[in-house]
Amino acid sequence: MKKNKYIGTFILLITTFICSISIYCTYPTIKSRVNTDYNEKVYQYMVQDTIKFNYIIQEQTRPSTKPYDQFFEFKNTLADRLQFSHDNIISDFESAKNILDNDENYYYVAVDHQTNQIKTNSKNNISNIQKDKELQNDYSFYYQVSYDKDGQPTVQFSNIDKKLLEKYLAEYSIANTYMTDVVDEVTNEPLEFTVTTPKNMTITYAVTKDIQPDTHLYHYIESVQQEEYILFIIPYMIVAIFISILVTLFIPVRALKENTFFQWLSNIKCEFLSLIFGFAIPTFITFSFYFSIYTMNNNISEIYKHFGIDNLQKYLNPILNIGLWMVNFFLISLVIYIIKFIFHKGFKNYVKENTVIGWIYIQLRKLITYIFNFDFNDNVNKVVLKIVGINFIIICVLCILFVGGPFLAMIYSFILFVILKKKFDEIKKDYEILLKNTDQLSQGNFNLDMDEDIGLFNPLREKFSNIKNGFETAVQEEVKSQKTKTELITNVSHDLKTPLTSIITYIDILKNNDLSDEQRQEYIRILERNSLRLKNLIEDLFEVSKANSGDIKLDYMDVDIISLIKQAQLECQEQFDAKHLEIRSFYSHDKIICYLDSSKTYRILENLLINASKYALENTRVYLDVIKKDDEVILTLKNISKDEMKFNENEIIERFVQGDESRNTSGSGLGLSIVKSFTDIQGGQFKIELDGDLFKAILKFKIKIL
């Protein structure tokens, strides 16, 4: 069982491990797909930037009154809105100018054919890059565009497809860019304006192969690359999540809940679980995405170098990546387990027992029940309510009616604290007195008396006396039990020893070959008699022991007590006749049915009659009365004892106690003990009453109601 309870968890962990390894194994494929896909987006972005740079460069070679006004002409008469749109466009171009001036990745050479000016920010003659193969190795992207006198652009050369570049130049022209963005805020219609392009210029652009960090282009490329990586990882991750969910759904709730961790998880309130999973899952997924990207780009090596563990990179990369993905898939499996657990337990029960709202609801119900069941008649409750109510009123009055009310409330609270402290000290002192007496009682000191006043604990003083008396009675009973056991051992030894000694003696005598046949037969009869006595003694002792230990099987049935009495009386008649005893029976001849074990009940009646035949005074009468009273049948057997009865009613029922103190009778002393034991286990009652020489045995059984 201990092994089985971990099987579900083991399957879950193996599944998450396999899924995590599978994700890690897709890294090379993802990296190759990203490298071939994101270049196009990067080139598009570079073209967008260089289109704005064209206007900025011409503005610098041919400055106007207002920057860039030579390129824009608004036709609408809505001055305020036009000015707002105009200012936004100017601001956008100023941002582009800042990139051109400060971004170390963009290089250009511009020739203004109208003013014959040349502007450049490059030390290299990139206008000849198409012919210089060595120069091409330093740049990842380059192209040259010429604008004629009408502003029509022509791509002279490029390291990417010429048609693709012309497509980009057309799509991301200034006219297309701003005509869709500038609208009338009232009519929602585009504001009418025209855009002219640079004229009589040839501009060559080149972007470095090694993108400088912390630049505008660097951050854009990094964000695009991250988006591409995430885009290609997501399908693999979805498949892995689906497999984890599927496996979790197939594992029974019982198989997981046997695990201590899942037991603990099942007991957390739903609101806390939502917070934990709501924070942990997005955090770990995001962290796993970026860590995987850094791993695929080999950017993580800088972190390893910082900690001086770069030589462990080939081991740490798979361990950390697989570990992170395992955490993600395992967290998702836990969410599915919780959902399954909700359905397994029942939504209503889950809300009641596993949510904060349910807990608040239960506590409110308990509070309301407590309020409605509050006993206002209880003296303690009355006192507490009075104290709380009076203090509430006093503090409210102090805070409302007086300027220094809060200060007076503090003084009042301090005085109340002193009074309550004194009262609690008294309670503590009374409790220590009670605890001290209890400790002495536990050590067996039954002579102590708790007469002092213990205040709040006075009601416990009487209970304490009862406990003391109960302990004392229990100890006396234990002492009596030990004494009885000692006497039992003594009596058993004596009663077993007597016939056994006789048997051994006569066996030795029989070894004498000079004995006559008559003597030998006489000794054999004595041996037989003593053997039977020893056998009966052992059987009686065995039956009493079984009855007292409860290890006895009863065969209940409907028993007619009257018929059973007649049968037992008939069997014992010979023994009564031998003592010249006359039985006087007084009972109805109608049936009295009880639900009893017939053999055990017969043994009870037989033992009572045999006991009477042994110890009754010869030539006297024995009275047997059977009375039906309510739902009970009462059997009373009375006889006059031939010996003086120097024992009490309880002693005679003990094992191995005989009415004949000399123990000369043939009995074992177990007869009445057997009667008592067999009566008790059948739910009856048996007692002895002594009145001078009158011995009275009273037996009661329940009558079966037909």
Side-chain angles (χ1 to χ4, degrees):
M1 288 299 293
K2 288 184 178 180
K3 292 181 179 178
N4 290 341
K5 72 178 183 179
Y6 294 109
I7 290 177
T9 309
F10 179 75
I11 293 172
L12 205 61
L13 290 173
I14 288 295
T15 303
T16 56
F17 181 68
I18 293 172
C19 291
S20 302
I21 290 178
S22 302
I23 291 286
Y24 183 73
C25 290
T26 62
Y27 282 8
T29 304
I30 293 171
K31 185 176 180 179
S32 63
R33 293 180 65 184
V34 167
N35 289 338
T36 57
D37 188 71
Y38 90 102
N39 284 335
E40 184 176 342
K41 291 184 179 179
V42 174
Y43 293 150
Q44 290 177 13
Y45 185 77
M46 291 176 181
V47 170
Q48 290 182 62
D49 277 349
T50 57
I51 287 173
K52 291 180 182 178
F53 296 162
N54 294 338
Y55 291 85
I56 295 166
I57 293 169
Q58 182 168 312
E59 174 65 23
Q60 291 174 349
T61 59
R62 307 172 198 173
S64 61
T65 306
K66 292 184 179 180
Y68 316 112
D69 278 357
Q70 58 184 305
F71 304 112
F72 296 93
E73 182 181 351
F74 291 90
K75 298 180 180 180
N76 304 68
T77 58
L78 305 175
D80 293 340
R81 296 192 182 94
L82 285 177
Q83 186 62 43
F84 178 77
S85 301
H86 177 270
D87 292 344
N88 285 340
I89 293 171
I90 298 303
S91 176
D92 194 19
F93 273 93
E94 288 297 323
S95 298
K97 182 177 182 299
N98 183 58
I99 294 171
L100 180 63
D101 293 340
N102 298 301
D103 198 313
E104 298 176 1
N105 302 296
Y106 288 104
Y107 290 94
Y108 69 92
V109 174
V111 179
D112 189 333
H113 301 293
Q114 182 174 324
T115 62
N116 293 322
Q117 291 188 45
I118 298 175
K119 288 190 68 66
T120 183
N121 65 347
S122 173
K123 296 178 181 179
N124 300 320
N125 187 13
I126 59 174
S127 58
N128 294 326
I129 193 171
Q130 181 69 11
K131 300 176 181 179
D132 192 340
K133 299 296 182 181
E134 291 184 5
L135 195 60
Q136 291 176 12
N137 294 330
D138 296 332
Y139 298 94
S140 62
F141 171 68
Y142 58 86
Y143 78 96
Q144 187 179 83
V145 60
S146 294
Y147 292 92
D148 61 16
K149 62 180 181 177
D150 297 322
Q152 291 297 321
T154 302
V155 177
Q156 301 298 324
F157 59 80
S158 171
N159 69 328
I160 65 172
D161 185 80
K162 193 174 181 180
K163 291 183 179 180
L164 184 64
L165 180 60
E166 290 174 346
K167 175 187 174 185
Y168 290 160
L169 290 171
E171 284 182 358
Y172 301 115
S173 66
I174 296 298
N176 288 339
T177 301
Y178 290 107
M179 286 296 288
T180 56
D181 291 343
V182 183
V183 296
D184 188 326
E185 295 178 2
V186 177
T187 63
N188 204 31
E189 294 179 357
L191 296 177
E192 296 182 12
F193 65 95
T194 59
V195 180
T196 60
T197 57
K199 299 175 182 178
N200 296 319
M201 291 193 72
T202 299
I203 306 173
T204 306
Y205 290 103
V207 179
T208 57
K209 186 167 290 186
D210 296 327
I211 306 298
Q212 296 299 312
D214 295 327
T215 60
H216 178 76
L217 184 59
Y218 175 86
H219 291 302
Y220 174 78
I221 291 174
E222 187 180 53
S223 65
V224 169
Q225 198 175 48
Q226 288 176 356
E227 289 175 1
E228 291 295 315
Y229 275 116
I230 292 172
L231 185 66
F232 285 115
I233 290 175
I234 284 177
Y236 297 108
M237 189 186 73
I238 290 173
V239 172
I241 289 174
F242 177 76
I243 293 171
S244 298
I245 291 173
L246 203 63
V247 171
T248 309
L249 289 173
F250 275 102
I251 299 174
V253 173
R254 182 183 65 258
L256 293 173
K257 196 171 182 292
E258 290 179 353
N259 189 298
T260 306
F261 171 77
F262 284 94
Q263 289 178 4
W264 170 79
L265 185 71
S266 303
N267 293 327
I268 298 177
K269 300 300 181 186
C270 180
E271 291 82 355
F272 297 125
L273 283 177
S274 301
L275 288 174
I276 293 170
F277 289 133
F279 172 77
I281 292 177
T283 301
F284 274 98
I285 287 179
T286 303
F287 191 75
S288 300
F289 276 142
Y290 284 104
F291 194 83
S292 62
I293 292 169
Y294 289 150
T295 301
M296 284 184 267
N297 284 335
N298 205 30
N299 294 334
I300 198 72
S301 58
E302 295 298 324
I303 298 175
Y304 291 143
K305 287 179 182 178
H306 178 74
F307 291 100
I309 54 174
D310 49 306
N311 57 327
L312 299 176
Q313 181 174 345
K314 64 178 180 179
Y315 305 110
L316 290 175
N317 275 349
I319 292 172
L320 293 175
N321 277 278
I322 292 171
L324 283 170
W325 287 116
M326 278 190 70
V327 171
N328 284 300
F329 300 141
F330 189 70
L331 286 172
I332 292 168
S333 296
L334 292 183
V335 173
I336 302 303
Y337 164 76
I338 292 298
I339 295 172
K340 285 182 62 180
F341 177 73
I342 292 172
F343 283 98
H344 175 76
K345 189 170 186 177
F347 183 77
K348 184 177 179 181
N349 291 332
Y350 183 82
V351 171
K352 187 185 295 184
E353 299 176 13
N354 292 79
T355 63
V356 175
I357 294 173
W359 180 84
I360 293 172
Y361 171 75
I362 292 171
Q363 299 306 315
L364 285 175
R365 284 194 62 183
K366 288 182 179 179
L367 179 62
I368 293 169
T369 304
Y370 176 77
I371 292 171
F372 278 106
N373 295 331
F374 188 81
D375 187 3
F376 290 93
N377 296 320
D378 184 83
N379 292 330
V380 175
N381 291 341
K382 286 181 180 179
V383 172
V384 172
L385 282 174
K386 286 179 182 178
I387 293 173
V388 173
I390 292 170
N391 279 281
F392 176 76
I393 294 170
I394 291 173
I395 291 175
C396 287
V397 170
L398 289 173
C399 291
I400 294 172
L401 299 181
F402 299 97
V403 177
F407 178 72
L408 293 174
M410 289 176 61
I411 296 174
Y412 168 75
S413 299
F414 176 75
I415 295 171
L416 184 63
F417 170 77
V418 173
I419 295 171
L420 291 175
K421 179 70 168 59
K422 183 179 179 182
K423 185 64 178 176
F424 283 129
D425 286 342
E426 292 176 359
I427 294 172
K428 182 180 178 182
K429 182 180 178 182
D430 295 336
Y431 172 75
E432 288 175 351
I433 293 172
L434 179 64
L435 190 64
K436 180 181 177 182
N437 282 275
T438 305
D439 187 51
Q440 291 184 13
L441 180 64
S442 67
Q443 294 177 9
N445 183 10
F446 300 113
N447 296 322
L448 57 91
D449 291 317
M450 193 185 299
D451 298 327
E452 61 263 51
D453 181 19
I454 55 175
L456 184 67
F457 301 103
N458 277 332
L460 295 175
R461 186 166 56 185
E462 182 179 348
K463 299 292 183 183
F464 181 83
S465 298
N466 294 337
I467 292 171
K468 185 193 75 170
N469 295 334
F471 275 152
E472 191 171 4
T473 302
V475 170
Q476 290 175 355
E477 289 293 330
E478 181 63 24
V479 171
K480 182 180 177 182
S481 176
Q482 292 296 332
K483 183 180 178 181
T484 302
K485 289 178 182 178
T486 304
E487 291 177 352
L488 173 63
I489 293 170
T490 303
N491 291 335
V492 168
S493 300
H494 181 275
D495 285 274
L496 291 176
K497 184 179 179 182
T498 301
L500 193 58
T501 303
S502 176
I503 291 170
I504 293 170
T505 302
Y506 281 101
I507 288 174
D508 288 339
I509 294 173
L510 286 171
K511 291 179 182 178
N512 188 354
N513 296 326
D514 297 333
L515 292 175
S516 62
D517 290 339
E518 292 80 5
Q519 289 176 319
R520 192 176 299 278
Q521 291 301 322
E522 178 64 24
Y523 294 155
I524 289 172
R525 282 194 294 271
I526 295 172
L527 281 173
E528 184 180 12
R529 185 170 63 249
N530 286 328
S531 298
L532 288 173
R533 182 183 176 189
L534 185 61
K535 175 177 175 288
N536 293 332
L537 179 64
I538 292 172
E539 288 178 349
D540 289 348
L541 181 61
F542 182 68
E543 286 192 346
V544 170
S545 299
K546 285 183 66 177
N548 289 339
S549 65
D551 185 23
I552 189 169
K553 184 178 179 181
L554 298 175
D555 186 14
Y556 284 102
M557 62 180 67
D558 291 343
V559 175
D560 181 9
I561 290 293
I562 301 300
S563 298
L564 215 58
I565 290 172
K566 290 179 179 178
Q567 181 182 348
Q569 186 178 340
L570 184 63
E571 292 290 336
C572 298
Q573 188 61 47
E574 184 179 345
Q575 298 181 41
F576 279 90
D577 292 341
K579 294 288 188 72
H580 305 289
L581 296 172
E582 181 182 354
I583 299 180
R584 292 290 183 90
S585 302
F586 298 95
Y587 49 79
S588 171
H589 290 281
D590 296 333
K591 291 183 178 181
I592 300 177
I593 305 299
C594 296
Y595 194 63
L596 302 168
D597 185 310
S598 61
S599 63
K600 301 295 185 292
T601 308
Y602 178 81
R603 184 70 184 278
I604 291 169
L605 298 173
E606 182 184 41
N607 281 14
L608 287 175
L609 291 171
I610 290 173
N611 188 74
S613 69
K614 287 180 181 179
Y615 299 108
L617 182 64
E618 294 183 4
N619 300 308
T620 59
R621 286 177 289 276
V622 176
Y623 293 89
L624 177 60
D625 300 331
V626 181
I627 301 172
K628 184 179 179 182
K629 184 178 181 181
D630 297 331
D631 61 341
E632 287 184 332
V633 56
I634 304 172
L635 186 148
T636 306
L637 188 65
K638 297 177 284 187
N639 66 270
I640 301 297
S641 176
K642 65 179 179 180
D643 298 314
E644 183 180 357
M645 294 184 289
K646 297 179 180 180
F647 47 81
N648 60 40
E649 291 87 343
N650 295 326
E651 288 178 351
I652 194 64
I653 301 177
E654 296 292 341
R655 287 167 287 184
F656 295 100
V657 176
Q658 295 178 259
D660 179 11
E661 292 184 355
S662 64
R663 309 180 74 85
N664 290 323
T665 58
S666 60
S668 64
L670 293 171
L672 294 181
S673 181
I674 291 173
V675 171
K676 173 69 174 171
S677 299
F678 284 2
T679 303
D680 289 343
I681 61 174
Q682 294 187 94
Q685 298 177 27
F686 174 67
K687 66 177 181 177
I688 298 295
E689 291 183 0
L690 305 178
D691 186 4
D693 290 334
L694 179 63
F695 181 89
K696 185 188 297 184
I698 302 172
L699 188 66
K700 294 182 182 179
F701 283 115
K702 290 285 185 182
I703 298 174
K704 182 177 180 180
I705 300 173
L706 301 176

